[in-house]
Amino acid sequence: MVRYAALKGLYDLEKTIGSGGFAKVKLATHVATGEKVAIKIMEKTALGDDLPRVKVEVEALKTLLHQHICGLYQVIETESHYFMVMEYCSGGELFDHIVEKNKLSESDSRRFFYQIVSAVAYMHSLGYAHRDLKPENVLLDKDENLKLIDFGLCAKPKMGIQAHLYTSCGSPTYAAPELIMGKKYLGSEVDIWSMGVLLYALLCGFLPFDDNNLENLYKKILSGKYEEPYWLSNNSKMLIKSMLQIDPANRITIHELCRHPWITGNSLKSVSFIHRTEFEKDDEVLSTMSAICGEKSIDIWKKLVQSDRTDYRTATYLLLLDRKLRGLSLKIAPTT
Ligand SMILES: O=C(Nc1ccc2c(c1)CNCC2)c1ccc(F)cc1
């Protein structure tokens, strides 16, 4: 097992749970609380031109606090590596979950899709577009609640005007027509298309546009034509159709999606999310921390709020808060 001096005494590394292009994800234990975390380890030399994506993802995750967006607890930078300490999603990828079940029922799909809409509506309300929504970037926690990951390609277009050109080399299977055409586009609109592909995958168990040959794949996406399996209800077909519109101007908006009867289950309660970008202050957690480090609660809180939210103290506070929200005892092992 490779040891990293930067993690010594803070996190105990365990097995590898994922390895993507330039990152390896390892399960780890946060020493002070005993809580499980996922640590995304990136070697700077291997990152190359993708180095800016790390900063984009860290800045986005420091702002985005939502129950269906995978939380960032701490960032550790050394000469050679970045370590992003994230929320552990023990349920793994939604993709594997769909494959395992072949396809999901309309009600299971609705439960997952509601959570995706809530996370994306929250991001868009803060001016962020994900731009890389796909089943591999949707994880499940131990209660099968959904967590969005990989904000390395997300964009925060200034004032929501025309966003950047399509820069990612991500797989086009989930990419909107305007993206693969290299046109200027609105991040919010490409997210809606990708959510349409995600909803289709949930309900059908396969993808609307798929081909091993890139040329044919492009043709299928630009044609906007896809199969509608017999088991799809008319409402499901109509909702998918409203999202997989080739012309982004004809695509359903995130606001309409939040109130769509297929999603709200005909209740008038539209998809909800809390406009939260600040930590909630919890006195019990703060007093637990002050008992260990000897500082006064109010001073700990002041430092937390003023910090750049990526240090060990932030991780300890957030992990204790998670424990409390899960009804567990608040205990801390004194860091040696
Ligand atoms: O928790 C993560 N991945 C994870 C967790 C558990 C399992 C897997 C991935 C995949 N195999 C099944 C079990 C994870 C969390 C954050 C992140 F940025 C990237 C990955």
Side-chain angles (χ1 to χ4, degrees):
M1 165 80 79
V2 178
R3 294 251 161 272
Y4 297 98
L7 302 179
K8 190 166 167 35
L10 307 177
Y11 298 95
D12 291 337
L13 281 184
E14 294 167 42
K15 63 181 176 177
T16 296
I17 49 178
S19 49
F22 50 81
K24 178 169 58 174
V25 183
K26 289 179 89 70
L27 176 60
T29 301
H30 175 260
V31 171
T33 60
E35 287 292 286
K36 294 296 177 201
V37 292
I39 303 186
K40 209 167 153 181
I41 303 171
M42 292 160 277
E43 205 175 332
K44 286 181 176 175
T45 47
L47 280 168
D49 304 346
D50 283 322
L51 195 64
R53 278 177 66 166
V54 179
K55 297 206 184 308
V56 164
E57 178 163 36
V58 169
E59 284 317 305
L61 289 175
K62 278 162 58 174
T63 309
L64 298 170
L65 298 177
H66 186 278
Q67 66 274 30
H68 299 308
I69 291 179
C70 188
L72 172 69
Y73 295 129
Q74 181 173 359
V75 177
I76 298 173
E77 181 179 356
T78 65
E79 282 278 298
S80 55
H81 288 82
Y82 279 113
F83 301 90
M84 287 176 68
V85 183
M86 316 277 296
E87 192 174 344
Y88 174 55
C89 308
S90 57
E93 290 179 13
L94 174 64
F95 201 84
D96 298 332
H97 184 78
I98 298 172
V99 168
E100 194 187 295
K101 299 210 165 182
N102 178 15
K103 61 179 169 45
L104 302 187
S105 66
E106 194 160 311
S107 59
D108 283 352
S109 300
R110 173 175 298 108
R111 177 178 169 279
F112 281 131
F113 197 64
Y114 183 101
Q115 297 182 354
I116 293 173
V117 174
S118 174
V120 175
Y122 165 78
M123 288 180 64
H124 288 187
S125 73
L126 291 169
Y128 282 90
H130 187 285
R131 298 199 306 178
D132 199 14
L133 291 171
K134 54 189 177 185
E136 298 89 323
N137 284 344
V138 179
L139 300 183
L140 302 173
D141 70 8
K142 62 180 181 6
D143 306 317
E144 288 203 357
N145 286 312
L146 204 127
K147 302 278 177 183
L148 284 192
I149 61 164
D150 203 344
F151 290 73
L153 291 177
C154 79
K156 187 175 172 31
K158 294 159 195 58
M159 311 304 288
I161 55 172
Q162 283 299 327
H164 316 268
L165 273 177
Y166 183 47
T167 52
S168 139
C169 52
S171 122
T173 311
Y174 312 92
E178 64 270 25
L179 274 192
I180 58 178
M181 296 283 279
K183 293 179 183 166
K184 282 249 177 218
Y185 61 88
L186 271 179
S188 51
E189 291 170 345
V190 303
D191 280 350
I192 294 290
W193 174 278
S194 306
M195 288 163 76
V197 175
L198 260 169
L199 177 59
Y200 186 99
L202 287 166
L203 289 163
C204 302
F206 50 86
L207 296 165
F209 314 105
D210 205 357
D211 200 299
N212 295 329
N213 172 290
L214 203 55
E215 210 52 46
N216 297 340
L217 177 61
Y218 280 5
K219 283 195 188 106
K220 289 179 180 177
I221 294 170
L222 296 176
S223 78
K225 287 189 176 45
Y226 52 85
E227 215 188 299
E228 289 185 327
Y230 68 87
W231 60 79
L232 286 182
S233 69
N234 285 334
N235 288 340
S236 299
K237 284 185 215 171
M238 281 171 7
L239 176 56
I240 291 169
K241 191 174 168 73
S242 69
M243 302 174 82
L244 297 183
Q245 286 291 312
I246 298 174
D247 180 351
N250 298 337
R251 229 166 270 163
I252 192 172
T253 67
I254 191 70
H255 300 292
E256 291 162 343
L257 212 43
C258 284
R259 287 195 311 276
H260 196 285
W262 188 94
I263 292 166
T264 60
N266 296 317
S267 79
L268 293 181
K269 188 174 70 70
S270 79
V271 176
S272 64
F273 56 85
I274 304 164
H275 263 278
R276 196 161 61 91
T277 54
E278 297 308 322
F279 296 155
E280 52 193 287
K281 184 169 179 292
D282 186 290
D283 293 325
E284 190 185 357
V285 170
L286 288 169
S287 61
T288 304
M289 290 175 71
S290 88
I292 291 291
C293 65
E295 284 177 70
K296 290 211 292 294
S297 291
I298 187 64
D299 295 337
I300 295 176
W301 178 250
K302 265 193 215 139
K303 283 185 185 168
L304 267 174
V305 171
Q306 286 156 8
S307 78
D308 71 349
R309 300 165 61 156
T310 62
D311 55 80
Y312 195 66
R313 188 190 285 261
T314 300
T316 305
Y317 179 79
L318 291 174
L319 285 162
L320 282 176
L321 201 54
D322 283 354
R323 276 185 74 83
K324 179 172 180 180
L325 296 179
R326 295 203 322 265
L328 300 173
S329 70
L330 299 183
K331 58 182 173 55
I332 297 190
T335 38
T336 43

